[in-house]
Amino acid sequence: MEPRIVQVQENVLRKNDRLARQLRERFRTSGVFVINVVSSPGAGKTTLLRETLLQLKSRYRVAAVVGDLATANDARRLAESGVPVRQITTGTTCHLDAVMIEKSLAGWDLKNLDFLFIENVGNLVCPASYDLGEDLRVVLFSVTEGEDKPAKYPTLVSTSDLALVTKVDLSDAVGFDGVAFAEAIENVRPDIRVIAVSARSGVGLDAWLRALGTARAARESRPAGNAAAPPGQEA
Amino acid sequence: MHELSVAHSLVEMALDEMERVPESRIIALHLRIGALSGLVTDALLFAWDVVSEGTKLQGAALKIEDVPVVIFCPVCQQEQTLPGHQIFRCPRCNAKSADIRRGRELELVALEVS
């Protein structure tokens, strides 16, 4: 038989995208604001989140889900903050997907939460492709990683809504060039907001917490049904 | 690194589609992969061979169309194709733009059957 073409025209990750859309709608109707935190391994996601949970919990109802290839160590560290934490162990999978998030939420009444943080697997490549239904995607770069990291991982940066430079208390020790970093990230993701923080010294945490409050308020003021765009793709 | 998961999805999708044309054999899958999809073509081809082996898709080729990044330039008021994916500025007037119109694609476009 002569070869012929059967049109398909489907996103290869359609199952994930579909579920992510449902999750986003569920988060919105429940009133919980969801933040997906992504970075390379060792950029300081867990330490920053622990501080964030500690500071938010007096004013808001907060919880966290943390993904790791193996061990529940990060979940234990986050649980020190005294808020509900769940671990997703991904085994060999290098990212979290919407199915894992949905499963991890079983039994939690999302209506009782104001903020839910998802700590993704430490990886600057794969998490970019998987929408988790989050409202805000936050990418972390630590000062120890070098200024050109954004140029090396443009896909993840281009889907992020906010960037944090972490461990800034070490800036001088490692000779971090903030201007070069700002230029590198501005090239990849023009106008992205960048906040410099240190979970250890407390620098920048107020600005980070305020940014979370502002983003949550902005979502609440958008009309229903307008929340379907994945992070970084509202434009 | 998630090319293996993507290859699995492709097998699943193609097998689903084959139910529409049960008498056919799939020769090739036509894909569109954007420069910002986060996927490495070589890794996908390798994963495809591994994952499709032993299925009805064994031996089917992946025909990949690479899609460059296209932004909308707010100054030129038109779409512009970028030569890479690390500098999001208009190649004509150098204006910044975060308005990405193409380049995130990861699509199964069509199946070639006989």
Side-chain angles (χ1 to χ4, degrees):
Chain A
M1 211 192 294
E2 278 292 293
R4 60 199 171 90
I5 298 290
V6 178
Q7 293 294 331
V8 182
Q9 298 286 3
E10 284 258 29
N11 188 333
V12 177
L13 299 176
R14 63 183 175 179
K15 269 167 97 178
N16 187 78
D17 290 352
R18 245 181 245 154
L19 182 57
R21 272 198 298 275
Q22 290 167 15
L23 284 175
R24 184 167 289 113
E25 197 47 43
R26 191 172 141 205
F27 295 150
R28 188 192 161 82
T29 50
S30 307
V32 59
F33 189 79
V34 180
I35 302 106
N36 179 6
V37 181
V38 294
S39 80
S40 56
K45 291 184 295 300
T46 309
T47 306
L48 179 80
L49 274 185
R50 190 178 54 194
E51 278 308 304
T52 304
L53 298 173
L54 272 171
Q55 301 215 13
L56 284 179
K57 73 172 185 180
S58 58
R59 284 173 287 156
Y60 298 101
R61 299 164 301 175
V62 290
V65 171
V66 51
D68 263 309
L69 297 176
T71 84
N73 296 344
D74 284 359
R76 259 199 303 280
R77 282 184 207 116
L78 289 183
E80 290 166 10
S81 64
V83 315
V85 174
R86 282 198 178 148
Q87 173 84 42
I88 302 173
T89 307
T90 61
T92 54
T93 307
C94 48
H95 56 268
L96 294 176
D97 63 27
V99 176
M100 298 178 202
I101 297 302
E102 189 189 36
K103 279 192 193 151
S104 75
L105 298 176
W108 269 356
D109 187 353
L110 296 178
K111 288 197 183 66
N112 292 332
L113 290 177
D114 298 313
F115 285 103
L116 171 67
F117 292 87
I118 301 170
E119 180 182 332
N120 217 314
V121 177
N123 180 341
L124 284 171
V125 183
C126 312
S129 303
Y130 292 85
D131 184 6
L132 305 181
E134 74 267 33
D135 298 291
L136 195 74
R137 188 174 288 184
V138 181
V139 60
L140 272 59
F141 291 102
S142 65
V143 296
T144 55
E145 291 174 68
E147 297 82 6
D148 59 348
K149 249 332 184 9
K152 291 178 180 168
Y153 299 94
T155 300
L156 190 61
V157 176
S158 80
T159 61
S160 296
D161 304 295
L162 174 68
L164 300 180
V165 180
T166 60
K167 309 185 190 181
V168 290
D169 52 314
L170 300 178
S171 289
D172 290 343
V174 297
F176 179 72
D177 183 345
V179 175
F181 175 82
E183 196 178 311
I185 197 162
E186 179 73 8
N187 274 337
V188 176
R189 183 89 170 122
D191 301 327
I192 190 172
R193 182 161 180 217
V194 180
I195 303 174
V197 299
S198 164
R200 194 188 271 180
S201 75
V203 165
L205 289 184
D206 280 350
W208 154 237
L209 297 178
R210 270 200 309 277
L212 287 173
T214 309
R216 182 167 181 264
R219 186 194 64 173
E220 299 310 309
S221 66
R222 277 201 299 269
N226 217 359
Q233 297 180 32
E234 306 78 17
Chain B
M1 281 173 276
H2 56 299
E3 284 77 4
L4 206 58
S5 323
V6 169
H8 273 293
S9 300
L10 280 176
V11 168
E12 213 173 277
M13 288 173 86
L15 291 177
D16 279 355
E17 293 295 330
M18 269 180 91
E19 291 176 9
R20 280 170 29 190
V21 282
E23 301 306 312
S24 307
R25 191 176 66 85
I26 297 186
I27 303 168
L29 288 78
H30 292 233
L31 305 178
R32 200 174 281 142
I33 298 184
L36 283 176
S37 70
L39 227 61
V40 178
T41 305
D42 284 345
L44 180 62
L45 291 171
F46 179 78
W48 171 253
D49 287 344
V50 174
V51 170
S52 62
E53 198 180 303
T55 74
K56 287 178 182 172
L57 297 162
Q58 184 170 341
L62 296 186
K63 293 189 179 173
I64 297 172
E65 177 196 341
D66 294 314
V67 182
V69 180
V70 175
I71 55 160
F72 184 80
C73 173
V75 177
C76 302
Q77 281 291 307
Q78 63 183 53
E79 292 184 352
Q80 299 283 1
T81 302
L82 301 187
H85 59 294
Q86 278 152 339
I87 298 182
F88 287 73
R89 287 175 177 276
C90 174
R92 240 175 67 182
C93 73
N94 210 33
K96 295 185 293 187
S97 173
D99 184 354
I100 299 165
R101 296 294 173 90
R102 279 197 290 285
R104 297 194 199 276
E105 292 83 350
L106 177 49
E107 292 168 3
L108 176 58
V109 181
L111 301 175
E112 202 173 316
V113 300
S114 72

